[in-house]
Amino acid sequence: MKETIARKVRITDTTLRDAHQSLWATRMRTDDILKIAEKIDAAGYYSLECWGGATFDVCMRFLRENPWERLRQLKKVCKKTPLQMLLRGQNLLGYKHYPDDIVERFVALACENGMDIFRVFDALNDPRNLEKAIASVKKYGGHAQGTICYTTSPVHTVEKYVSLARELRSMGVDSLCIKDMAGILTPGAARELVGALVKAMPDMPIQVHSHMTSGMAAAMYLAAVEAGAGCVDCAISTLSSFSSQPPAESMVSILESVGFDCSLDRSLLAEINAYFKALKAKREPASASRVEAVDAGVLVHAIPGGMISNLRSQLAQQDALDRLDEVLEELPKTRADLGYPPLVTPTSQIVGVQSVLNVLSGKRYSMVTDETRRYAAGYYGRTPAPIEPKLRKKLCGSLKPIDCRPADLLKPGLVAAADELPPNTIKAEEDILSYALFPEVALGYFKWRNADPAKRDPIPADVEEASRAAQPSGHSQASQASQPAPASQASGPAPSGTPVPAPLNGTFYRSDAPGKPQMAADGATVKAGDAVCVVEAMKLFNPIKAPAGGKITFLVEHGKPVAKGQTLAVVG
Ligand code: CO
């Protein structure tokens, strides 16, 4: 039967968030965006995704811009098309759970400054981590889009996804998103999942988000739309494909060829693309040219592209790049042990680093990061499948497992954050939120902003671009600057006793968090197995245990770089 009226399918543009995060290390600037925003606004998109964790962080850290100001400026220009952001539920834009008062104020200010649609997700698909953010979006008049993080495992079934969707509906979401961050959703699975959702809740709008990493996303979108999805995420062609979204121009042709109407202005799309094509030479980092067009490996190991490049750089920091294949083999096993979490921030980081440690230490879980410990104890939420009890006990160590909503344990944080800020640092309430989310980064930005403009340090992104321009060969210096060259052993007679060696290259700390008291005082008596210090590597804090009991003597200063095998302390 031939349809007489073409069904409308809408397209969300991800160029201003996910696409430049995936391909340009999030280096697009507010000025870059404003120069083309009027045309993007007029093109006929359903929404413009323009804010998320990395955009917010990079704005302050590398571009020395205020992310709130970007939002206001963009809103001034975009009068037709709703603005959209990606929000990590109770994690907001960060990597940990924030107290409810911070979640609510962040959402309120985002709404006030022009954000319209909030795509709210949780890495574990734990509804308890979504409820406060969704309720806040509804309270302040935003559109709440509930998210299903898509992954495959023995416990992730269509029925489970539909039951999550029902929970999201009961929280009052306005639409649903299937978020396929790894690009592993096949056309067949999309047809089945979207079909089941449409059947269960025929009036609920469904949007699909994917990445072209494995090459399947455009075909998958078509299947999803045919099964009833009403909106898909695309990027303008220059910023599409590879690990980004499918190209908007091609998707319009695909969908219209089978009778759907996308209502996008093709001539405007061409103008927008010409603009980004010209911008690419300036903003695309040299490393982008090394990305493969299609990573067929994803079809086998289902590991998101961004995660593999992280693993590569983590292994490089440990002089162990040759062990990447072992880590790729270990990773699915670690993920299974940890109850099959979807691999998305922050679980991708937890599973990735733990897999690296499982390989490098030679004995699985002989080294457990603090994050793995907290994850196993329930501080990130409920794991999709339970962790085997004996392993869970081992991973938790002395940390008591919890069963409640993790944020229930947090005291209000807004006033405390404001109190922590040095006087005359901030200009508005939004600065307190920026600080609560990214303390170090925000302080660095405030300091830069408050300095005399004539005496400010150069903008880090300008420095990067200048150094790239000076190296026309396209070979960027490997950016391992954050890691020290192996330090030589301290000279002089070493105190006798049992040595406590550094298990990894990294930074040595005597306490387990900035500003916290020392874990063991120099000269104190410790028991075998006590955590006595920390080596920070791969952005995670790895507690180091005393190999024996006795008096401890530290040989390294707090905050100094250490090399694998270096003696940190002696006990005895
Ligand atoms: Co994405």
Side-chain angles (χ1 to χ4, degrees), residues 152-303:
T152 54
S153 87
V155 294
H156 287 89
T157 59
V158 168
E159 295 70 39
K160 282 265 179 68
Y161 286 131
V162 171
S163 97
L164 171 62
R166 286 186 208 277
E167 284 200 64
L168 291 166
R169 183 175 61 177
S170 72
M171 290 181 202
V173 299
D174 301 284
S175 62
L176 283 177
C177 173
I178 301 168
K179 178 176 165 67
D180 172 29
M181 50 277 170
I184 55 173
L185 182 54
T186 64
R191 185 169 284 128
E192 197 188 344
L193 177 55
V194 173
L197 290 169
V198 169
K199 195 167 163 222
M201 41 191 85
D203 297 329
M204 181 65 78
I206 296 169
Q207 183 160 2
V208 185
H209 173 88
S210 185
H211 289 254
M212 281 293 268
T213 325
S214 74
M216 291 194 292
M220 183 274 281
Y221 278 177
L222 176 60
V225 164
E226 286 177 335
C231 191
V232 292
D233 284 9
C234 295
I236 202 74
S237 49
T238 289
L239 276 128
S240 75
S241 304
F242 301 93
S243 57
S244 174
Q245 276 69 56
E249 298 95 316
S250 318
M251 210 61 230
V252 170
S253 293
I254 291 171
L255 291 169
E256 294 192 345
S257 77
V258 287
F260 293 104
D261 169 17
C262 298
S263 329
L264 275 177
D265 183 330
R266 281 172 186 271
S267 65
L268 270 179
L269 293 188
E271 285 182 49
I272 295 164
N273 191 50
Y275 172 80
F276 284 112
K277 214 170 178 176
L279 187 64
K280 179 177 160 146
K282 239 160 100 185
R283 299 291 186 242
E284 186 182 64
S287 59
S289 57
R290 295 201 297 263
V291 177
E292 294 165 80
V294 167
D295 179 0
V298 173
L299 300 170
V300 181
H301 55 57
I303 299 168

Side-chain angles (χ1 to χ4, degrees), residues 118 147 150 157 163 195 214 351 424 459:
F118 294 75
T147 305
Y150 179 77
T157 59
S163 97
S214 74
V351 175
N424 306 322
I459 294 171

Side-chain angles (χ1 to χ4, degrees), residues 214-542:
S214 74
M216 291 194 292
M220 183 274 281
Y221 278 177
L222 176 60
V225 164
E226 286 177 335
C231 191
V232 292
D233 284 9
C234 295
I236 202 74
S237 49
T238 289
L239 276 128
S240 75
S241 304
F242 301 93
S243 57
S244 174
Q245 276 69 56
E249 298 95 316
S250 318
M251 210 61 230
V252 170
S253 293
I254 291 171
L255 291 169
E256 294 192 345
S257 77
V258 287
F260 293 104
D261 169 17
C262 298
S263 329
L264 275 177
D265 183 330
R266 281 172 186 271
S267 65
L268 270 179
L269 293 188
E271 285 182 49
I272 295 164
N273 191 50
Y275 172 80
F276 284 112
K277 214 170 178 176
L279 187 64
K280 179 177 160 146
K282 239 160 100 185
R283 299 291 186 242
E284 186 182 64
S287 59
S289 57
R290 295 201 297 263
V291 177
E292 294 165 80
V294 167
D295 179 0
V298 173
L299 300 170
V300 181
H301 55 57
I303 299 168
M307 240 186 117
I308 295 181
S309 57
N310 279 345
L311 294 172
R312 218 184 280 273
S313 80
Q314 286 156 357
L315 285 169
Q317 284 167 21
Q318 300 303 327
D319 304 318
L321 204 48
D322 56 320
R323 307 193 69 179
L324 181 64
D325 285 346
E326 284 170 79
V327 172
L328 291 181
E329 208 175 296
E330 168 63 24
L331 202 141
K333 295 179 197 158
T334 304
R335 177 175 171 250
D337 288 345
L338 296 180
Y340 300 106
L343 297 175
V344 62
T345 309
T347 44
S348 49
Q349 173 81 350
I350 297 169
V351 175
V353 174
Q354 191 58 53
S355 307
V356 169
L357 292 180
N358 282 354
V359 168
L360 294 188
S361 66
K363 190 168 170 241
R364 305 181 75 225
Y365 306 110
S366 62
M367 283 189 69
V368 175
T369 66
D370 244 18
E371 283 74 7
T372 301
R373 192 178 311 283
R374 292 175 55 76
Y375 169 90
Y379 285 87
Y380 285 86
R382 202 174 285 130
T383 56
I387 302 174
E388 189 274 316
K390 241 173 100 185
L391 176 63
R392 188 176 189 210
K393 210 164 162 235
K394 179 181 170 155
L395 295 176
C396 291
S398 56
L399 190 62
K400 199 172 156 271
I402 60 163
D403 217 19
C404 62
R405 184 183 77 114
D408 284 341
L409 302 170
L410 302 174
K411 288 197 289 257
L414 210 50
V415 173
D419 286 348
E420 270 172 45
L421 282 160
N424 306 322
T425 308
I426 61 162
K427 298 181 171 168
E429 188 191 3
E430 66 198 32
D431 291 337
I432 303 173
L433 271 309
S434 300
Y435 171 76
L437 264 49
F438 299 99
E440 302 299 326
V441 172
L443 280 178
Y445 165 66
F446 298 152
K447 198 176 150 210
W448 181 89
R449 182 179 66 180
N450 294 344
D452 176 352
K455 290 181 192 150
R456 277 177 186 156
D457 290 339
I459 294 171
D462 286 345
V463 177
E464 290 171 351
E465 282 181 19
S467 89
R468 203 158 61 236
Q471 294 182 318
S473 64
H475 291 284
S476 72
Q477 67 287 14
S479 60
Q480 304 302 337
S482 61
Q483 286 302 315
S488 57
Q489 294 277 345
S491 54
S496 58
T498 311
V500 183
L504 301 156
N505 295 341
T507 309
F508 171 78
Y509 293 111
R510 297 268 302 274
S511 56
D512 61 359
K516 286 265 209 72
Q518 292 182 348
M519 298 167 83
D522 202 24
T525 303
V526 298
K527 290 197 297 288
D530 282 357
V532 289
C533 58
V534 161
V535 172
E536 187 209 356
M538 300 173 270
K539 289 189 194 159
L540 298 179
F541 280 59
N542 305 285

Side-chain angles (χ1 to χ4, degrees), residues 13-14 75 78 91 313 316 390 533:
D13 176 51
T14 64
K75 189 65 184 179
C78 299
N91 292 359
S313 80
K390 241 173 100 185
C533 58

Side-chain angles (χ1 to χ4, degrees), residues 94-132:
Y95 309 100
K96 59 170 194 177
H97 287 276
Y98 293 97
D100 287 339
D101 64 332
I102 290 184
V103 172
E104 176 162 347
R105 260 337 267 164
F106 177 86
V107 170
L109 282 185
C111 285
E112 214 171 274
N113 284 288
M115 194 51 70
D116 300 292
I117 301 173
F118 294 75
R119 177 175 292 167
V120 187
F121 80 95
D122 175 62
L124 293 175
N125 286 325
D126 184 338
R128 302 170 308 167
N129 293 338
L130 299 166
E131 60 192 31
K132 182 66 190 178

